Amino acid sequence: MICLENLTKYFPSRGGRQVIVDNLTAVFPTGASVALLGRNGAGKSTLLKLIAGTIRPTSGRVLSTGSISYPVGFQGSFHPDLTGVQNTRFVARLYGVDSDGLVDFVEEFAELGGHFRMPLRTYSAGMKSRLSFGVSMGIPFDTYLVDEVTSVGDGAFRHKSVQVFDKRNENAGAIVVTHSPPMVRRLCNMAAVLERGQLHFYEDLDAALEHHEYNLTLPPDRLRS
């Protein structure tokens, strides 16, 4: 279970401040795979980083009864001058897992070839996402945070990514940011729509997608709070 207690995060902006989450209290149930929906700029990726602890809230806190992955697709834990192998070993030490086993998993999964032993600064965005996804899926977390990474690569790679995700989801939960309705239905059993700093939870995926699609037709100042 992940519990957000009076969580607030804002950033300074020319207009005063940009509020991402506003005194938000919510619970992501244990073992649930929750699609996190919202228009571009709503703050979905920032909320994932708050849950992961990679950025600090302005106020409030995040509580969890289990381990949480870093947001897949976010390479903030990776050093650009280290190779893919070295970055993988660094993350293995950080989370206390076997580094050789994680390297073997990532090398087979990410399909980076010789680039796996080259500095991260030489990688394309897609290669970084493959590495990030592979490292995260190779570690047994209680909740996985996934930010659009299943859209990376060709059809065969996406299919493999979903298969690995399904395997992890047998014993773990997830919060998944995606703009793809088929992916929502394929990966998730709940959904939450983020708008104006608040979350609206749905057990009915179709109702959540309808809410999200309706929001996309409105100017931001007409979204409900």
Side-chain angles (χ1 to χ4, degrees):
M1 180 179 70
I2 296 172
C3 181
L4 314 182
E5 288 191 352
N6 304 117
L7 193 68
T8 296
K9 181 64 179 180
Y10 61 79
F11 297 102
S13 68
R14 290 182 179 179
R17 64 186 185 183
Q18 178 187 6
V19 178
I20 305 301
V21 290
D22 186 11
N23 197 34
L24 174 61
T25 295
V27 174
F28 291 86
T30 300
S33 182
V34 183
L36 181 57
L37 305 173
R39 62 170 61 218
N40 290 335
K44 302 181 297 297
S45 296
T46 299
L47 180 57
L48 285 193
K49 293 174 187 177
L50 286 165
I51 293 171
T54 56
I55 61 174
R56 293 176 179 270
T58 304
S59 62
R61 60 181 180 169
V62 177
L63 302 175
S64 172
T65 57
S67 60
I68 304 173
S69 78
Y70 61 88
V72 178
F74 170 66
Q75 297 90 36
S77 299
F78 294 162
H79 195 289
D81 291 328
L82 298 181
T83 67
V85 172
Q86 290 169 328
N87 273 294
T88 300
R89 292 192 184 279
F90 171 77
V91 175
R93 291 193 295 270
L94 194 64
Y95 287 99
V97 300
D98 178 66
S99 61
D100 288 339
L102 186 58
V103 165
D104 289 344
F105 175 86
V106 175
E107 184 164 25
E108 188 281 328
F109 173 83
E111 300 177 1
L112 295 171
H115 288 279
F116 193 43
R117 289 167 174 77
M118 294 177 64
L120 195 75
R121 55 182 164 76
T122 67
Y123 285 27
S124 66
M127 292 166 66
K128 290 177 183 177
S129 292
R130 287 184 182 220
L131 177 67
S132 176
F133 190 89
V135 170
S136 182
M137 290 294 120
I139 300 174
F141 292 106
D142 294 307
T143 302
Y144 290 90
L145 307 180
V146 182
D147 193 353
E148 284 288 1
V149 100
T150 49
S151 65
V152 174
D154 58 20
F157 186 82
R158 288 194 298 272
H159 178 69
K160 182 169 72 169
S161 297
V162 170
Q163 285 185 315
V164 170
F165 185 85
D166 282 345
K167 185 68 176 177
R168 296 297 181 265
N169 254 5
E170 292 176 2
N171 301 298
I175 303 174
V176 182
V177 172
T178 179
H179 291 90
S180 167
M183 200 62 73
V184 169
R185 295 185 177 94
R186 175 66 179 80
L187 299 178
C188 303
N189 51 37
M190 288 184 64
V193 180
L194 178 63
E195 57 184 43
R196 301 186 70 175
Q198 295 297 311
L199 283 171
H200 302 268
F201 279 86
Y202 292 87
E203 293 187 2
D204 184 334
L205 295 179
D206 288 331
L209 288 166
E210 183 179 349
H211 180 171
H212 172 58
E213 292 295 330
Y214 176 72
N215 281 353
L216 296 180
T217 69
L218 299 176
D221 61 354
R222 289 189 57 195
L223 294 177
R224 71 190 188 199
S225 56

